[in-house]
Amino acid sequence: MSHLPPEEKLIPTSCVHNCSGRCFLHAHVKDGKLIRLSPGEEGPDSPDCPQTRACLRGLAQRHWLDHPDRLQYPLKRVGKRGEGHFQRISWDEAITAIAAEMTRIKEAYGNAAMYLNYGTGVYGQISQSWIDDSSRGALPRFFNLFGGFLGYYNTYSAACYSAAAPYTFGEVEGQSPDDLLNAGLIVLFADNPAETRMGGANIPHYLSLAKERGAKIIVIDPRHSDTAASLADKWIPVKPTTDNALMAALAYVLISEELVDQAFLDQYCLGFDEAHMPPGIPAGQSYKSYIMGLGEDKIAKSPAWAEAVTGVPREDIVSLAREIGLTKPCALVQGLGWQRHAYGEQAVRALPVLAAMTGNIGREGGGPGLRPGGHKMPMGWMPAGTNPVKARISCFTWTDAIRRGQEMTAADGVKGAKRLPANIKMIWNYASNTLINQHADINATAKLLADERQCEFIVLHDLFMTPSAKFADIVLPDVSHFEREDIVTFSAGIAYAIYHRKVREPMYECRSVYDVCSALAGKLGFAEAYTGGKTEQDWLRECVREAQRQDAEFPDFEEFRRIGIYKKKPARPIIAYERQIRDVSANPFATPSGRIEIFSPRLWEMNNPLIPAIPKYLPAWEGPDDQLAERFPLQCIGYHSKRRVHSTFDNLAVLEEAVPQEIWLNPGDAGARGLQSGEKARVFNDRGEVVIPVKVTPRVRPGVVAIPQGAWWQPDTRGIDHRGNINTLTKYQPTPLAFGNPQHTNLVEVVKWEGDAE
């Protein structure tokens, strides 16, 4: 940067947040202080290898780093849990107290009573807060050496997707987004990448290029999202929880008008029609029988039927079906919004059926009806070893594991053991606001955590006194990623790795998770086993060596650290299941039958009407036809605001100016309640109440209200939240198959707010 003042220096850095961006940034540092962030210089921009441009959140991180509310030193709770009263303690006191409580709980209940709570506030090869099945990084390494911990599977974001899609395809592959340029028609179901994935070499880039090349884009969503506003040729607003009824009607039109690729279905699929069912299944159980009214319910899933369920006019359903059936190739893409519903597993499995019916699987410009995949970037990790505790729970069910852990079995989603050996008695919550803010039914969760007889000890390690931090017994001040070093990777239309260097020394008494775990390992007597005599940078050198073993072009450590980014331009897009479609006998699908299982024998054997063997429309609890709608007539959905990454950055005023926290109401619903934009409203149901400003807009369908998720819960003395946290209203009821998060399934009422906060 030739115009850079001589007293400034540039340091390569990145974002580490759960927005799927991982953008390359340059930190401008003067006299040891970060003065601004700018997009990193990474060479020329081209359609097939775009620059990783940061969004408003990434560029606003300076305000986050220097926020006056940063945690500065360790704290110990005084008073009752949740009241938010703490006193300052030294690091030695904090480490001693944590080590003593961990030892006590291990001796009294065993390691399975210790839980590392789900969180995605930090990504990186050492400091990652999300723990996947491979159990890697600084925190799980420490707990594994201590004897293990109760693990989790799934995510709050994609539990139903991860659980359901393998029943159709076996191993789940997504078409890479650079292949969207080959599509003639792109239909996005519950997908809003223009707000959720703004930065980086991400999906909106490829959607824009596809549109420039002539592709038509249709968005199906209850809300006229920024994706619909900026990219779509057509928006189809559907009632939440009814997407399966819409897809069933689309299938009905495709069958009725002979727009089905029967040869594809015959060759590659199990269970589409009665002639291709597994042996021993009674007649009438195929997908076609269900659609045409020849199955058990005897209801033809016609456009007229679907109109009454979904609110989508029948003529729009017919038109959409014809476009999907006649446009070749057609990319049917699903987001994650619709699977965070009461029966979210059904939508995940239904869209691939439409992709199969139209013969779009395994071909350029088409796809399997799943989420986009990505080109992979090889990278090593700080190894964590093996967790001696084999039991795992769905990450959404941890509150159940506090209440009745020893009663939980496979019927409650327990894996790796017949039942849990202990209730959760200790929680370590790192870089996560899921302890309170992001979990369902905040009021019930707060009541549970306030009872110290249930979960006896909670440690929280974070940057700020979040709503979750107020329920901790010990609060530890974390460093930001600008105050340590790590590596993050990205996989989408291109793949890249970013080395973020330390921009400045840690503020106050803040310490990294590796530093904290090293100190605790020393207190507990296994420091050498934990660190191996290595610094964080030593571990990162090993990560790069592993990347070089997998990719001969990957630069050496010093070069990678100096430049800050390594990008890999793909030779061609990833075409999901291309091998199987080319020769399915030589490359069968990873299902028991070796075929695309529209009918799943494994699900059939479960004999659970809420987990049908073919994807069906199941009317949802707290859906539009629930009797509860007489009291709470509006469907309330959460959406991801572009001003936050989940709850990260909610405390930044500069982003609040860009996108305020508001509830969206359709003009008809607002008028019936005497509400105008800018006024405050009460939003309530039997679980709780929030007060939030109103935005009256036709960009949300009638009967639906939308609240941006992630706002920091701020209850007054009556328990009324004055920030607009949707989880004050959401229900804790895990989904049937995935035991996942249904937090978009809520009925509420909205009225004008007449009072003031206490």
Side-chain angles (χ1 to χ4, degrees), residues 555-625:
D556 63 38
F557 178 81
E558 296 300 340
E559 180 70 2
F560 178 43
R561 186 176 182 273
R562 182 186 68 82
I563 296 173
I565 188 169
Y566 170 67
K567 296 168 67 174
K568 198 162 184 68
K569 177 181 174 180
R572 64 186 293 262
I574 295 171
I575 309 302
Y577 308 114
E578 185 177 39
R579 293 181 304 107
Q580 288 88 339
I581 301 306
R582 185 182 299 121
D583 187 347
V584 73
S585 60
N587 302 290
F589 287 88
T591 56
S593 67
R595 302 166 81 185
I596 299 168
E597 294 191 350
I598 295 172
F599 178 97
S600 170
R602 291 175 290 173
L603 297 180
W604 173 263
E605 290 171 3
M606 293 183 185
N607 194 29
N608 184 338
L610 301 181
I611 309 175
I614 56 173
K616 293 183 177 182
Y617 168 64
L618 302 177
W621 47 262
E622 299 205 18
D625 297 322

Side-chain angles (χ1 to χ4, degrees), residues 74 82 102 214 237 314 318 360 377 379 435 581-582 633 639 657:
M102 290 183 67
R314 67 192 72 183
V318 172
N360 278 295
M377 173 58 61
M379 183 55 61
L435 191 67
I581 301 306
R582 185 182 299 121
Y639 66 94
E657 291 178 14

Side-chain angles (χ1 to χ4, degrees), residues 278-353:
I281 304 298
Q285 300 297 327
S286 71
Y287 186 77
K288 184 176 181 180
S289 294
Y290 166 72
I291 295 298
M292 304 310 292
L294 304 175
E296 294 174 341
D297 64 7
K298 305 302 180 185
I299 298 173
K301 309 309 181 294
S302 67
W305 167 83
E307 178 179 10
V309 175
T310 66
V312 178
R314 67 192 72 183
E315 57 270 21
D316 288 349
I317 296 173
V318 172
S319 174
L320 177 60
R322 289 171 178 166
E323 288 196 83
I324 291 173
L326 294 171
T327 307
K328 305 293 183 182
C330 172
L332 305 176
V333 180
Q334 62 175 288
L336 294 175
W338 66 359
Q339 56 89 65
R340 290 192 285 268
H341 276 294
Y343 306 117
E345 296 94 348
Q346 299 311 306
V348 173
R349 294 193 67 232
L351 191 57
V353 180

Side-chain angles (χ1 to χ4, degrees), residues 426-455:
M426 173 189 170
I427 293 176
W428 188 297
N429 193 90
Y430 172 57
S432 169
N433 209 355
T434 307
L435 191 67
I436 280 289
N437 210 77
Q438 301 302 99
H439 192 59
D441 196 349
I442 279 181
N443 288 317
T445 305
K447 184 177 180 180
L448 174 69
L449 292 178
D451 185 354
E452 298 173 44
R453 297 167 300 176
Q454 302 263 9
C455 183

Side-chain angles (χ1 to χ4, degrees), residues 195 223 636-644 650 655-665 676-681 683 690-697 699-700 705-711 722-726 750:
E195 288 179 89
R223 190 177 72 94
C636 180
I637 60 171
Y639 66 94
H640 288 60
S641 167
K642 59 180 172 285
R643 59 76 43 95
R644 280 189 296 265
D650 187 53
L655 294 179
E656 182 77 6
E657 291 178 14
V659 187
Q661 181 73 4
E662 301 169 314
I663 183 172
W664 285 21
L665 271 80
Q676 299 181 10
S677 289
E679 293 183 318
K680 287 187 176 181
V683 188
V690 305
V691 175
I692 185 172
V694 169
K695 178 176 181 176
V696 179
T697 174
R699 291 181 61 184
V700 64
V705 296
I707 297 177
Q709 67 91 23
H722 287 264
R723 177 61 183 146
N725 184 300
I726 191 173
V750 178

Side-chain angles (χ1 to χ4, degrees), residues 111 125 127 154 189 193 217 253-254 286 319 345 383 398 556 559 563 565 574 576 646 712 744:
N111 282 79
Q125 310 309 107
S127 299
N154 277 343
F189 292 80
I217 299 176
V253 176
L254 291 172
S286 71
S319 174
E345 296 94 348
W398 60 272
D556 63 38
E559 180 70 2
I563 296 173
I565 188 169
I574 295 171
H646 299 294
W712 285 12
H744 294 329

